[in-house]
Amino acid sequence: MAAPRVNPLQRLWLREIGIEKTWLREPKPQVAEPAPLVPAQEPARVAAREAAAVGRPAQSPAAPAAPARSAAAAPSRAPTAEAGAAAAAARPTPPAARPAPAAARGAATPVAQESAEDRQARLRRIEAADVETLHGMVSGCTACGLCQGRRHAVFGMGAANPRWMVVGEAPGEQEDRQGLPFVGRSGQLLDAMLASVGMSRERDVFIANVIKCRPPGNRNPTPEEVAACAPYLMRQIALFKPERILVLGRFAAQTLLGTDATIGNLRGRVHHVESEGRQIPVVVSYHPAYLLRSPIEKARSWQDLRLAARG
Ligand code: URA
């Protein structure tokens, strides 16, 4: 078993995320069949309450930023200080906190009625949207009942020209409050995990969720909510054109890959999703909130990151 080489910086980050040993086995890259870029039919059924399992982030603020992509401000993919500064300058200030709507406190979410015609029209607008238009659509979306309980829809955040997209499940309480993804403890762990392979959320990745509005009580999203929301993620993938996607947690992986396979089954090989005729490599790993609860799995998640970094 060959120990992977780590440089001193990586070693520091590994220590930071709780991995002291460097005897991890290199994952053998395997290539899985391309998956359709469609949500699983019944992700909520198969996800078996991952939201409870991952326990969405416990809360502390992280780097505030929200996406904006303008030709003038878009940084190059090269990870330079200028690029990072340009990306930061391109981002609007995160939305101010709003009080929780009454519906956020109840478990039931009234279903918003989107007619078939309205859905078709919305899908056409999504297909034609640039990043800013899409951001506006997500912020004002009323396609499902989750809009009634949200403070903020969470579009995502990160680099204007990301090398990776990181895809999570849905906003938790802090994300809903701040309008940004992964801002709690699991967000801090995610940042450390990314740093362990030399990536940063501001410079290299765009972080988004399958579901843009917080499900009340962090319950699993319903198939209807996934069907309503998934087209936004698909358009984000088409617009950001990431070199690869790191998908975190069972729900997001099953939805993105259109499967009900377990994380254990999906990890350790490279999947693909098709976006505008391109096959984008997808690596599946554990949700950081799960890692906070099961730190023993951090070693495996680092293997996943290395697999993603190798592509
Ligand atoms: N968990 C997720 O999957 N996404 C977030 O944005 C926060 C927690």
Side-chain angles (χ1 to χ4, degrees), residues 160-229:
N161 286 293
R163 290 175 56 201
W164 289 12
M165 265 185 82
V166 175
V167 176
E169 175 180 330
E173 189 191 350
Q174 281 305 307
E175 289 76 19
D176 172 62
R177 208 178 274 276
Q178 298 186 36
L180 299 170
F182 282 100
V183 291
R185 278 181 61 224
S186 57
Q188 290 169 0
L189 178 57
L190 173 61
D191 288 341
M193 288 162 58
L194 290 171
S196 76
V197 286
M199 312 282 282
S200 91
R201 79 160 78 191
E202 286 82 14
R203 191 187 57 207
D204 306 299
V205 308
F206 190 89
I207 304 176
N209 286 308
V210 173
I211 298 288
K212 308 303 187 200
C213 298
R214 181 192 182 206
N218 295 346
R219 66 158 168 74
N220 273 343
T222 65
E224 292 75 23
E225 289 157 359
V226 175
C229 214

Side-chain angles (χ1 to χ4, degrees), residues 2-254:
R5 286 210 196 105
V6 288
N7 65 36
L9 184 63
Q10 282 178 315
R11 194 181 301 276
L12 278 179
W13 279 112
L14 287 173
R15 200 162 291 152
E16 182 81 6
I17 64 175
I19 301 175
E20 295 284 345
K21 309 249 189 244
T22 54
W23 39 258
L24 310 165
R25 187 200 292 273
E26 289 281 352
K28 282 212 181 78
Q30 298 170 28
V31 177
E33 283 300 297
L37 196 55
V38 293
Q41 290 306 298
E42 290 189 72
R45 179 175 58 78
V46 294
R49 305 215 55 78
E50 177 159 292
V54 302
R56 301 259 176 69
Q59 339 302 346
S60 75
R69 184 190 183 97
S70 76
S76 83
R77 284 173 189 261
T80 61
E82 296 84 348
R91 285 180 214 116
T93 315
R98 275 191 231 139
R105 297 188 287 272
T109 312
V111 176
Q113 297 297 319
E114 186 182 42
S115 69
E117 296 76 41
D118 286 351
R119 177 173 167 83
Q120 284 312 315
R122 185 170 63 92
L123 291 181
R124 280 195 297 274
R125 282 191 293 127
I126 290 174
E127 279 305 296
D130 61 14
V131 173
E132 282 174 34
T133 306
L134 194 68
H135 195 163
M137 287 185 72
V138 166
S139 300
C141 184
T142 56
C144 80
L146 293 182
C147 63
Q148 296 172 36
R150 73 176 178 226
R151 288 179 169 99
H152 296 108
V154 179
F155 180 74
M157 68 172 286
N161 286 293
R163 290 175 56 201
W164 289 12
M165 265 185 82
V166 175
V167 176
E169 175 180 330
E173 189 191 350
Q174 281 305 307
E175 289 76 19
D176 172 62
R177 208 178 274 276
Q178 298 186 36
L180 299 170
F182 282 100
V183 291
R185 278 181 61 224
S186 57
Q188 290 169 0
L189 178 57
L190 173 61
D191 288 341
M193 288 162 58
L194 290 171
S196 76
V197 286
M199 312 282 282
S200 91
R201 79 160 78 191
E202 286 82 14
R203 191 187 57 207
D204 306 299
V205 308
F206 190 89
I207 304 176
N209 286 308
V210 173
I211 298 288
K212 308 303 187 200
C213 298
R214 181 192 182 206
N218 295 346
R219 66 158 168 74
N220 273 343
T222 65
E224 292 75 23
E225 289 157 359
V226 175
C229 214
Y232 292 126
L233 176 65
M234 305 320 170
R235 184 66 186 153
Q236 286 177 307
I237 293 170
L239 286 165
F240 287 116
K241 299 182 176 33
E243 288 167 20
R244 66 211 49 189
I245 297 171
L246 177 67
V247 59
L248 301 175
R250 178 163 54 174
F251 172 88
Q254 290 175 337

